[in-house]
């Protein structure tokens, strides 16, 4: 057993691909325009005015403000492998070896990103506590999409991030598919509500037993990451090799009105109430029962 032939780029590529396949954060956020050291840089295009035409044309300068975020969050992983060289030489063993590390990392980062989004939503887009059951779960998502519409948020690349319990309620609504397929990264395949692509995550913020669900545009949040270190070493006191890596990332709100949140309180479905009014104008016909 040895680590002399360890090739970091092979492990980095496989870990990042596994990570990307599991990462919801990569789906619902905007990637940086570029990375400068430990900073991620985003370019956002400014507004262009529409004018009345009177024979001449005035040209607007396109303002592209630069938003910089620090990659100030650091997470590492470290695991044992019986023989790094043999795993690497086999090729197809690298993926299952790094799968657990990439899964744990994506869950950690998703949780941090979703909290950043929820905390950064504009005050007017926080809908507060909503009591949700089978009959109104779908309608609440429609209301959240309508809020984005009123804020003139682009109608493409919109998402709703809910938890499994919420998805269960949607599945009982005739307007939604009863057997939704959830992909590895949390996206519910082919399922949209009012233009929101449905995604499921158990990493949503929870406070006082209430889960915060989010409807957002991809343009609402910037997120970037990079793997800074990947190395292998022979472990002392163990017949195994060690592989460890360090990931740095940063997340920030780019447009606070491009996301909407609601705190969910799951309640029992209200009983159906039927009122029967018997009047002379509208009598209720009953059948006489013999011997009654």
């Amino acid at each position: 057993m040895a680590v002399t032939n360890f090739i970091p780029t092979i492990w980095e590529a496989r870990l990042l691909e596994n990570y990307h396949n599991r990462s919801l954060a990569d789906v619902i956020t905007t990637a940086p325009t570029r990375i400068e050291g430990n900073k991620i840089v985003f370019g956002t295009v400014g507004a262009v005015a529409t004018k009345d035409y009177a024979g001449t044309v005035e040209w607007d300068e396109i303002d592209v403000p630069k938003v910089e975020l620090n990659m100030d969050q650091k997470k590492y992983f470290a695991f044992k492998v019986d023989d790094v060289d043999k795993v690497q030489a086999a090729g197809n063993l690298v993926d299952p070896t790094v799968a657990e590390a990439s899964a744990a990392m994506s869950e950690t980062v998703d949780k941090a990103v979703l909290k950043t989004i929820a905390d950064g939503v504009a005050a007017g887009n926080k809908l507060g506590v909503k009591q949700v059951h089978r009959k109104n779960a779908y309608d609440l998502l429609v209301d959240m999409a309508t809020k984005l519409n009123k804020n003139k948020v682009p109608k493409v690349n919109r998402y709703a991030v809910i938890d499994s319990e919420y998805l269960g309620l949607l599945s009982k609504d005739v307007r939604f598919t009863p057997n939704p397929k959830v992909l590895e990264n949390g996206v519910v395949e082919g399922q949209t509500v009012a233009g929101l692509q449905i995604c499921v995550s158990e990493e949503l913020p929870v406070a006082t037993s209430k889960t915060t669900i989010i409807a957002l545009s991809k343009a609402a949040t910037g997120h970037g990451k990079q793997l800074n270190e990947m190395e292998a070493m022979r472990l002392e006191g163990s017949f195994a090799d060690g592989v460890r890596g360090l990931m740095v990332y940063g997340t920030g709100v780019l447009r606070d009105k491009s996301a909407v949140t609601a705190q969910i309180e799951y309640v029992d479905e209200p009983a159906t109430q039927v009122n029967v009014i018997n009047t002379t104008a509208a009598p209720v016909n009953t059948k006489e029962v013999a011997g009654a």
Side-chain angles (χ1 to χ4, degrees), residues 67-85:
V67 178
E68 294 183 352
L69 300 173
N70 290 321
M71 289 193 291
D72 53 2
Q73 302 297 309
K74 298 180 180 182
K75 302 293 180 184
Y76 79 90
F77 57 86
F79 55 86
K80 296 180 181 180
V81 182
D82 286 340
D83 191 325
V84 165
D85 286 350

Side-chain angles (χ1 to χ4, degrees), residues 170-233:
L170 288 178
S171 302
K172 298 175 183 178
D173 192 302
V174 296
R175 294 168 289 181
F176 199 82
T177 298
N179 296 303
K181 179 182 178 182
V182 182
L183 302 180
E184 194 173 13
N185 58 7
V187 174
V188 184
E189 190 175 46
Q191 296 304 303
T192 61
V193 174
L196 301 171
Q197 168 63 58
I198 303 301
C199 305
V200 177
S201 175
E202 299 308 317
E203 310 307 325
L204 284 162
V206 179
T208 61
S209 301
K210 298 178 182 65
T211 298
T212 297
I213 65 169
I214 305 170
L216 76 161
S217 163
K218 191 181 183 77
T221 314
H223 172 67
K225 66 186 181 303
Q226 65 180 10
L227 199 57
N228 271 12
E229 303 287 345
M230 190 76 172
E231 58 187 12
M233 64 207 67

Side-chain angles (χ1 to χ4, degrees), residues 19 29 33 65 69 73 92 146 161 172-173 195 212 255 264 270 290:
Y19 173 92
T29 62
T33 308
L69 300 173
Q73 302 297 309
N92 60 346
T146 300
V161 186
K172 298 175 183 178
D173 192 302
T212 297
R255 297 175 175 85
I264 302 306

